[in-house]
Amino acid sequence: MNLIKSNLLFVVLFTFTFFSTLSVFADNDKHQYADYDWEENRKRNEVPSHLENGGSVVFLDKNMIEYFYLADEEKVILYKTHHVIRWLGSTDAVERYNAIFIPLGEGTLEKLKVRSISPDGKVVISDQNNLKEIKDEESGRGYKMFAIEGIEKGSEIEYFYTTKEPIFGGNQEGREYMQSSTPTKNISFELISPSFLDFEVKSYNGLADAELIEDTKNEKRIQRIEVDSIAPLNGEPFAYADPNKMRVDYKLAYNLATSSRQRFYTFTDAARQIYSVFCQTRDKKELKSLKKIYKEVEIKDKDTEETRIRKIENYLKVKIQGTESPAADFSNIEEIEKTKIANERGLVRLFTTMLELAEVPYELVLTSDRSEVRFDGDFDYWGNMREFLIYFPNTKKYLVPAVPLYRYGIVPDTWTATDGLFIRKMKVGDEVFGLGTVREIEPLEGDQNFSNINLKMKFNEDMDAVEAELKYGFGGLSAVGLQPIIPYLSEEKRTEMIENVLRGLSADAEFEDIKLENELMNTDLLENEFAIKTNFSSKSWIEKAGNKYLFTIGKCIGPQSELYQEKERKLAVENGHNRIYKRKLTFEVPEGYKVKNIDDLKLNVVFDKPNQEGDKKNCGFISNYKQEGNTITVDIFEYYYEIYLPLEDFEDYRKVINAAADFNKIVLVLEKA
């Protein structure tokens, strides 16, 4: 949820005196595309033969955005016009694109035209009665949805609409994606503004820069990007498609009519306003309610800084119920103290102000989820400040205030290994304000996120089952999807969840005497291993073949990813987080038998390339064994110590991933000695 746009005050851009001098606009009562229309009697587009079996093709995608000055009212209005022509080449495409969603924000729909052209050329103009109002409950934003009826495979749909919005704290900037998962032709972006407003436009991921055109006759600035065609970009394993798609971000930067060249909406402005909204109580009543809550936390003078942090976190994440409602009462500390219900904004405010009372130094951090878009510290686009973290400079650890399953020291992985705006408290004289700097949010080290298997096995007397004693351990982010959920489950649901995890090793096993270690709430998963202990018997791991036995030891490490690349790889490698896997597999060879192909257990596939810090370890899969009498012990170490790898290194990375999959397929042959 992006709280920044909705909660910060809109900076006043213009003065009445300035507006009154702009009589040049008085007769210009239409925005640039007020009379825009489609081609009335156009023919269907010809689909290239190599795309005929594709899901869809976009033949036109025009985005026209204008900040239009209304001279009579002395204000600026935002108009957006979007025109699309799309061919639907499959049933799935028909189902996916049979409705148009029009974001309205605080605005109105000024114009909408929709038509379809069937495969045999029949044109159907859609009935405007198909327009429905919907609302996103999380963001509170309104949308218009238009259902397109009567389309079929091979149809072409065309629509354009114009919306009108007042200028408010949020739409002084915007983002448009020029690339999607669909082949697209005739793509254009146009940003139009009065000549006195200077918008900065930044292109990403290989998109051409915008061309600036000064329309002196109409006193307008036009920034335009036009592209003949853009290839589709789809998701690939160990990568995120959206942050790599061609896009354009824009923001209001300057008012050229003033003598001052002060930049608008800087990170400095954001830090001051965010600190004021999220890190300070509003009045004495709120402060009184905050102190009541703080008293319930029972912080002692002797408590260490980490103890204070954990006590505050435990109280707020257990005693305060979260809600997605944006209602103001759920961010008001006075109301939260009464109801024990808070939204994200309220939780952030509680954390920061209680840390202040506890005298714990902190910095409030805002960033973006890099699986969606990367935070750009060189372009002060406020829309990237979507996710809240709290950083503790003394311990160099982070906390996520509004997600209960993550506890101090562990935060969502894709909110790290990227930049963010760090806001710390500054005091100059009697003035207290937030000072912001852009820095990297460091990810956890690979050794902190682990999954360990310790498995002791032997064959039963009939040689038709493997009897096993297992300890399955998890730490860091590898444990977050499991351990924090357990305290909230009934005994039945807890057993069901644990057995589902174990069945990843053996689908047919019956697990006995399941015990858990470090399963209690608030366990520090960076210092303590969450472990599952159990005994079981598996018949799926052993099979008789004549006078031999086949032992599928590879299954003991659970299913593994296989990374095959039939098409040319387009994206560099990006992992969610660094991680390691350790497995120790011990088994006894039955008397009178030997392992024929025991050297198959030896694998050494590593890619160690010096990074910026000079470290050599990158990723690898290493397995080896030792035999003492009839006992064979297999040790496996798999590691991934880098979040990012360039495209040129993909093949080496792929070999490591596939090495784990290759081990998973190992079958040992036991034959009589």
Side-chain angles (χ1 to χ4, degrees), residues 237-256:
F238 302 99
Y240 304 108
D242 285 348
N244 290 289
K245 289 175 180 175
M246 292 183 181
R247 76 172 197 274
V248 59
D249 290 356
Y250 59 91
K251 61 157 287 180
L252 178 62
Y254 300 100
N255 180 355
L256 302 179

